[in-house]
Amino acid sequence: VQLQASGGGLVQPGGSLRLSCAASGSIFSINVMGWYRQAPGKQRELVAVITSGDSTNYADSVKGRFTISRDNAKNTVYLQMNSLKPEDTAVYYCNADLRRRGFYPLEDYWGQGTLVTVSS
């Protein structure tokens, strides 16, 4: 199983970016998918998560600016980021709690990270 994240880049303050993360491999089902970020010198923090039933939860710092969504048919999670601020600069990691085919326990997987830089 692999998680492949994409969509990061350099954007000016106030701009927008859309991150994508596709899970591939021998997947039976995916429970929660989410995005986390880690800024230089700081701990990794939760940005947003979404359940298989489309319930969502956001960090207070991104509420009203970021939107998480998922396409279950494509095993893909998205993060639409609007009104970006310099403090949003970080490496963004996708995460999925999933079950592999033929293996019942939930397992936690991480993508490789994609860098988002907000700067003028």
Side-chain angles (χ1 to χ4, degrees):
V1 174
Q2 290 186 336
L3 271 62
Q4 182 69 43
S6 60
L10 173 64
V11 62
Q12 292 186 342
S16 298
L17 279 176
R18 187 190 194 212
L19 306 183
S20 300
C21 176
S24 62
S26 186
I27 298 169
F28 176 72
S29 64
I30 301 178
N31 188 12
V32 179
M33 302 186 82
W35 290 95
Y36 294 73
R37 67 186 180 187
Q38 187 166 17
K42 295 187 177 182
Q43 289 187 330
R44 189 175 298 188
E45 63 177 3
L46 180 146
V47 176
V49 292
I50 184 168
T51 69
S52 57
D54 287 339
S55 294
T56 59
N57 189 36
Y58 295 90
D60 288 342
S61 59
V62 307
K63 282 181 181 177
R65 300 188 298 123
F66 290 11
T67 301
I68 190 170
S69 60
R70 63 191 282 175
D71 184 332
N72 292 326
K74 296 181 179 180
N75 288 338
T76 299
V77 63
Y78 306 97
L79 186 68
Q80 177 66 44
M81 304 185 293
N82 299 327
S83 303
L84 282 160
K85 305 175 181 180
E87 51 263 43
D88 294 317
T89 295
V91 177
Y92 284 70
Y93 297 91
C94 59
N95 174 267
D97 289 334
L98 58 85
R99 288 185 172 89
R100 287 181 283 150
R101 292 186 187 279
F103 190 73
Y104 182 75
L106 278 170
E107 296 176 291
D108 193 47
Y109 285 86
W110 291 90
Q112 84 283 10
T114 184
L115 177 62
V116 173
T117 303
V118 184
S119 175
S120 55

